[in-house]
Amino acid sequence: MTAKYQRIWVRVVRVGPYTTHVAVPTYAAGQILVPVATLDLMSAIGMTRAQLTGANLTATANAAATTDTDLHLHDWQTPAPGDAPPR
């Protein structure tokens, strides 16, 4: 399978001391939570754990992924003011 990377929306659902779980609406309709290292995410975004909870972010991901580990979420960003995630 060839990776096809694109920018996607993600929503932070659960933030733990070591692992954060995000929902990716374009992958499995957001029903499968994808684990991300909490400290890596905090460093990339510049938010505290409390600020991350419920946050809508964008990331670059493999749109051709068939498993959550194939998504390879990276290049995290906070959306610009006025940008809204898809419903």
Side-chain angles (χ1 to χ4, degrees):
M1 167 176 44
T2 302
K4 178 184 171 193
Y5 287 93
Q6 66 184 37
R7 181 142 301 277
I8 60 167
W9 283 92
V10 300
R11 179 165 177 80
V12 178
V13 176
R14 190 177 310 141
V15 180
Y18 305 106
T19 305
T20 293
H21 290 90
V22 299
V24 182
T26 57
Y27 175 73
Q31 297 299 308
I32 296 175
L33 298 181
V34 180
V36 178
T38 300
L39 292 178
D40 291 347
L41 186 56
M42 288 171 54
S43 296
I45 298 297
M47 291 182 172
T48 65
R49 284 179 51 200
Q51 292 171 318
L52 280 174
T53 304
N56 288 306
L57 306 171
T58 62
T60 300
N62 177 7
T66 56
T67 66
D68 62 334
T69 55
D70 288 341
L71 281 171
H72 190 246
L73 297 173
H74 63 285
D75 191 24
W76 296 93
Q77 294 180 4
T78 54
D83 285 352
R87 298 220 177 242

